[in-house]
Amino acid sequence: PFVYQLSKSPRCKQPEKGKKKLSLPFEKKKKMVSIEGLTVEFGGFTLLDGLSFVVNRKDRIALVGKNGAGKSTLLKILAGMQQPTRGTVSIPRDTTVGYLPQQMQLADTRSVREETEQAFAHIHATETEIERINRELSERTDYESEGFRKLIDRMTWLTEQFQMMGGTNYHAELERTLFGLGFTRDDLERPTAEFSGGWRMRIELAKLLLQRPDVLLLDEPTNHLDIESIQWLETFMAASANAVILVSHDRAFINNTTHRTLEIELGHIYDYKVKYDEYVALRRERREQQLRAYENQQKMLADTEAFIERFRYKATKAVQVQSRIKQLAKVERIEVDEEDHAMLHLKFPPAPRSGSYPITVESLSKRYGDHLVFADATFTIHRGDKVAFVGKNGEGKSTLVKCIMGEITDYGGTLQLGHNVRTGYFAQNQAQLLNEQKTVFETVDDVAQGDIRTRIRDILGAFMFGGEASDKKVGVLSGGERSRLAMIRLLLEPVNLLILDEPTNHLDMRSKDVLKEALREFDGTLIVVSHDREFLDGLVDKVYEFGNKRVREHLGGIYEFLERRKIETLQELERKAQTVAAPAVTTAPPESVNAGMPDAKPQAVRSYEEQKERARRLRKLEKAVADAEQEIMTLEDKIATLEARMATPEGAAEPTLYTEHGQLKTALSEAMDRWTEASEALSEASAS
């Protein structure tokens, strides 16, 4: 991650000469970042056009817009990694900015613990300085000299700073953060080179969170996290983060972590002081109101112009005509916001007919050395099935996919593909495997064969790569644009078994909806590996649950599966421990899902009343958490307003403000304690 500190802001007003700037120990600047007239142009194309907005302390902002709208570019500009064509980005001095990009080059020379400890480089530097001064003090004998006294003062100040920075307990904070992101204690001493790119990105995220920058910029942080880690990140951001601007296409995540939405559309920005779901409704209402007002005005203008034309040459109407002409000139014309109608049109080619059983698995098991991934998996996928693989990271979903694809062959048991099965595979890193030096057109032309080569431009246009966009280099495409391009390559050859491993990573909301609709109409067999409950809803008719070294089959859709398992979210599924040693796969119709289990009937009878009580208790705890969060936000706003008053000469002279400030701080601490207790109680109740 990239963290920088602006040493001087050209737009920060400096104190006048001879006047001392008032500085309070608890003073915090409310305005963290100010953007004015920001414009970004590439050749003759304007990506961002005159954006202006302000980021305040404790703002939690979701940056939304379609792929390629400029979201990642804006984050890079705010991080100081890219310069705009015009405009200014003003950041007060001493404000730190932390940035986590979608992709980055990672070093692999340290263990997980050693790499994460790089976040505390400032603590190590202070510790080294203290040791140096200690050695110098032990060697000097001029105890009464001015230099010795200054050295003692410096030593005292550094020691206080060391304590304030948490120099004696940062190891515990480091471990809490890594454990929250899914690492185990055994992982801490392993070299980072042993981990996949997704896990190494978690290390970089941990380093960034531990540095606690004043402004946190996150570009698709959930792409490499399972649901447990996403929930932990939500809790961390609610309790510990300062100002946050994030890009994410995980609707639940941004609803849980942000309370302000900035939309980028056609180069312009629209600011909504609400969560994402509320923004969607407000955006639709704004558009409808604009259209109604525009239509009413157009009717009025047409009537006025018709009156002028009708009576322009009648002397008896001359005064009225002139009045209408003047009235027409004074009318302030209503403009309707431009809307981006470019839309992904996706249709899979007809699937050639395969055998009745595309995949048959019997007693399948896979180990990596002494580590058992899963064992005794037995199931059959029928032609036309649409199934989901769900479960926490590391439980074997992608491993089983690689076994099906033939990339892994050293497994136990039997895995057989049916007659005439033709497989298409979209891997998690598919978009990163594209050649960055080639253009969009060349990338597709390389794999196209036969008559389809004459229709490449039409295909690219359907995927929003029409016109000059087809001549862009792959290296300048956004993550979502690369994913769309990789999907085109997958569509060029008809397949009847489609396997998608996290296909929605980097795709914007609209593209996800279009992909989902196309997959619904796909007439072949589909396997989707995903944590996105909304994407799976209405798409799959069978769910395979990975956990506790087993693969269990559940008939029905994702919500039917969750209802039968008495779980409200996939995250609760991942967190819940399996207490009964079940067979590898238990296939049962929905009404008999508990058949064959001990005391199945008593469990069914008992569950109804227990479910009602548990749901009531969860609602009560959720309300307690929400109330505490609202109280915290209210107190923080009051403290910020009060501190702004105290920062003025007039406010500094009012002793009552200091008393009120102390009372608000105490109330905030108590509210944080209540929020922590309620959150822990909710987590325990959800897991029970």
Side-chain angles (χ1 to χ4, degrees):
F2 181 83
V3 178
Y4 77 95
Q5 181 169 328
L6 199 67
S7 59
K8 184 177 181 180
S9 169
R11 301 183 62 83
C12 285
K13 187 175 180 181
Q14 303 299 316
E16 296 177 16
K17 208 167 185 180
K19 289 189 178 180
K20 186 176 181 181
K21 182 179 181 297
L22 179 65
S23 179
L24 299 172
F26 47 79
E27 179 182 357
K28 292 184 179 178
K29 304 175 181 67
K30 186 174 179 61
K31 184 185 294 185
M32 307 299 292
V33 181
S34 177
I35 294 88
E36 294 184 14
L38 193 71
T39 299
V40 176
E41 297 173 347
F42 295 107
F45 173 70
T46 301
L47 180 65
L48 303 175
D49 187 10
L51 308 190
S52 297
F53 62 95
V54 169
V55 179
N56 298 312
R57 185 173 64 87
K58 289 296 182 181
D59 265 354
R60 309 290 167 80
I61 299 172
L63 192 60
V64 302
K66 76 178 188 69
N67 292 136
K71 302 185 297 294
S72 295
T73 298
L74 180 56
L75 289 189
K76 290 176 182 177
I77 291 173
L78 296 179
M81 300 182 67
Q82 184 173 326
Q83 293 300 316
T85 307
R86 292 185 299 278
T88 58
V89 177
S90 304
I91 303 176
R93 64 174 63 202
D94 300 328
T95 295
T96 56
V97 178
Y99 172 54
L100 184 80
Q102 286 187 29
Q103 293 127 12
M104 60 197 313
Q105 298 296 323
L106 306 173
D108 292 317
T109 58
R110 305 181 181 94
S111 69
V112 172
R113 183 189 296 276
E114 291 168 344
E115 182 64 33
T116 311
E117 281 185 352
Q118 299 304 305
F120 300 102
H122 59 297
I123 292 180
H124 296 315
T126 302
E127 191 173 19
T128 301
E129 177 72 1
I130 290 173
E131 291 174 357
R132 185 192 65 77
I133 294 177
N134 264 329
R135 286 195 302 270
E136 185 175 346
L137 288 173
S138 65
E139 295 169 359
R140 293 179 61 161
T141 57
D142 54 336
Y143 308 121
E144 304 300 328
S145 67
E146 181 67 16
F148 192 87
R149 187 185 64 77
K150 288 183 178 179
L151 209 57
I152 290 290
D153 291 342
R154 173 70 176 169
M155 178 68 174
T156 302
W157 184 83
L158 284 173
T159 303
E160 291 175 354
Q161 290 293 110
F162 184 74
Q163 295 294 333
M164 289 173 61
M165 290 187 293
T168 57
N169 61 1
Y170 72 87
H171 292 287
E173 186 180 6
L174 179 148
E175 291 183 358
R176 281 197 303 270
T177 303
L178 288 174
F179 295 160
L181 290 174
F183 291 92
T184 64
R185 188 168 297 280
D186 292 339
D187 291 332
L188 301 188
E189 308 308 325
R190 290 173 57 191
T192 58
E194 294 183 5
F195 292 87
S196 66
W199 282 95
R200 283 180 284 176
M201 285 294 287
R202 294 189 190 204
I203 297 172
E204 298 304 308
L205 177 58
K207 289 164 59 178
L208 184 59
L209 297 179
L210 288 167
Q211 288 168 352
R212 302 289 177 89
D214 298 313
V215 182
L216 188 58
L217 309 175
L218 302 176
D219 197 350
E220 295 286 5
T222 62
N223 278 355
H224 304 289
L225 302 179
D226 57 38
I227 297 183
E228 281 189 5
S229 299
I230 292 173
Q231 196 271 345
W232 177 89
L233 182 58
E234 290 174 356
T235 303
F236 176 91
M237 291 174 60
S240 305
N242 295 309
V244 177
I245 305 177
L246 67 88
V247 174
S248 176
H249 298 129
D250 185 324
R251 189 168 304 180
F253 178 70
I254 62 176
N255 273 321
N256 291 337
T257 56
T258 65
H259 52 252
R260 180 180 170 191
T261 305
L262 292 179
E263 177 194 28
I264 299 179
E265 186 172 30
L266 297 172
H268 301 289
I269 200 160
Y270 301 91
D271 193 346
Y272 296 81
K273 303 293 194 299
V274 293
K275 293 184 176 182
Y276 181 82
D277 281 349
E278 296 174 66
Y279 140 76
V280 172
L282 288 175
R283 181 180 184 275
R284 184 169 56 250
E285 290 176 9
R286 186 198 77 198
R287 180 80 181 171
E288 291 172 354
Q289 290 171 359
Q290 282 185 333
L291 285 173
R292 283 198 298 270
Y294 175 79
E295 290 168 358
N296 291 336
Q297 188 182 70
Q298 290 300 306
K299 184 178 183 303
M300 184 273 291
L301 293 175
D303 291 344
T304 304
E305 289 171 352
F307 179 89
I308 293 171
E309 288 301 318
R310 183 179 178 184
F311 298 110
R312 181 184 295 274
Y313 303 108
K314 288 192 175 183
T316 57
K317 297 286 187 178
V319 175
Q320 295 180 43
V321 168
Q322 289 301 315
S323 174
R324 297 290 179 92
I325 291 174
K326 292 179 181 178
Q327 178 186 351
L328 204 60
K330 293 178 181 179
V331 171
E332 186 174 340
R333 305 299 172 102
I334 296 173
E335 294 183 1
V336 178
D337 293 337
E338 283 188 278
E339 194 167 24
D340 193 348
H341 295 288
M343 194 64 179
L344 172 64
H345 299 284
L346 175 57
K347 184 174 178 61
F348 288 91
R353 187 176 179 83
S354 69
S356 297
Y357 307 106
I359 300 175
T360 303
V361 174
E362 187 172 350
S363 301
L364 192 72
S365 61
K366 172 59 185 169
R367 290 179 177 272
Y368 289 107
D370 295 331
H371 175 60
L372 176 64
V373 182
F374 54 78
D376 296 329
T378 300
F379 59 88
T380 299
I381 295 180
H382 298 75
R383 182 179 63 236
D385 278 353
K386 291 181 169 61
V387 307
F389 286 179
V390 302
K392 66 190 299 184
N393 289 350
E395 293 290 351
K397 301 186 300 296
S398 295
T399 297
L400 181 54
V401 166
K402 291 177 180 177
C403 292
I404 295 171
M405 292 301 302
E407 296 180 13
I408 294 177
T409 57
D410 57 337
Y411 50 77
T414 303
L415 190 157
Q416 184 175 356
L417 297 184
H419 172 67
N420 196 34
V421 170
R422 300 170 66 177
T423 306
Y425 178 39
F426 184 91
Q428 289 189 45
N429 63 340
Q430 200 77 35
Q432 281 70 55
L433 299 178
L434 301 175
N435 188 334
E436 295 189 351
Q437 302 306 314
K438 292 188 176 182
T439 66
V440 170
F441 183 89
E442 291 169 345
T443 300
V444 176
D445 189 47
D446 285 348
V447 297
Q449 297 179 0
D451 294 341
I452 203 167
R453 296 190 67 183
T454 63
R455 298 191 293 114
I456 290 178
R457 295 285 182 186
D458 294 336
I459 294 172
L460 291 175
F463 277 76
M464 295 188 286
F465 286 116
E468 297 179 356
S470 64
D471 297 321
K472 284 183 178 180
K473 294 281 188 183
V474 173
V476 304
L477 299 181
S478 69
E481 289 172 322
R482 291 191 187 204
S483 292
R484 291 207 308 270
L485 185 57
M487 194 69 71
I488 295 175
R489 290 166 59 94
L490 181 63
L491 295 176
L492 289 181
E493 185 176 357
V495 298
N496 49 34
L497 174 58
L498 192 57
I499 303 176
L500 307 178
D501 194 351
E502 298 291 358
T504 59
N505 281 2
H506 306 295
L507 289 183
D508 60 46
M509 303 288 189
R510 285 186 285 179
S511 296
K512 282 167 60 175
D513 292 340
V514 173
L515 174 60
K516 179 176 176 178
E517 189 59 35
L519 291 174
R520 278 176 177 164
E521 298 176 3
F522 176 60
D523 56 359
T525 306
L526 173 69
I527 298 174
V528 184
V529 181
S530 179
H531 292 294
D532 193 328
R533 183 182 59 186
E534 292 186 4
F535 182 73
L536 296 176
D537 180 34
L539 175 62
V540 301
D541 47 32
K542 192 185 295 183
V543 176
Y544 288 92
E545 172 195 356
F546 288 68
N548 286 344
K549 319 301 182 187
R550 293 288 185 268
V551 183
R552 301 185 63 202
E553 181 182 86
H554 302 267
L555 301 181
I558 189 70
Y559 279 110
E560 294 168 304
F561 160 66
L562 294 176
E563 178 65 23
R564 288 198 305 272
R565 291 299 306 270
K566 309 305 177 187
I567 298 171
E568 293 180 355
T569 65
L570 281 176
Q571 192 219 328
E572 291 174 356
L573 160 66
E574 293 181 2
R575 190 168 57 230
K576 185 170 182 179
Q578 307 256 343
T579 58
V580 179
V585 174
T586 303
T587 305
E591 62 272 17
S592 59
V593 70
N594 286 322
M597 298 291 285
D599 72 351
K601 187 174 180 179
Q603 177 67 28
V605 174
R606 187 174 62 244
S607 65
Y608 177 72
E609 292 301 327
E610 290 182 351
Q611 279 290 307
K612 287 178 63 178
E613 176 60 25
R614 181 173 181 273
R616 186 192 65 77
R617 189 168 65 253
L618 285 176
R619 286 195 299 270
K620 184 177 180 181
L621 290 171
E622 287 169 354
K623 184 177 185 304
V625 172
D627 290 345
E629 288 176 351
Q630 183 59 48
E631 184 181 4
I632 289 169
M633 290 175 59
T634 301
L635 288 169
E636 286 177 341
D637 289 341
K638 288 182 178 180
I639 290 172
T641 303
L642 189 63
E643 288 176 352
R645 289 177 59 193
M646 295 170 69
T648 64
E650 296 80 7
E654 292 185 37
T656 57
L657 294 185
Y658 292 87
T659 303
E660 186 180 351
H661 183 271
Q663 293 171 346
L664 288 174
K665 282 287 189 180
T666 301
L668 178 61
S669 178
E670 293 172 352
M672 291 293 290
D673 290 341
R674 286 194 294 275
W675 178 86
T676 301
E677 292 173 2
S679 297
E680 291 175 351
L682 178 60
S683 296
E684 292 173 2
S686 299
S688 62

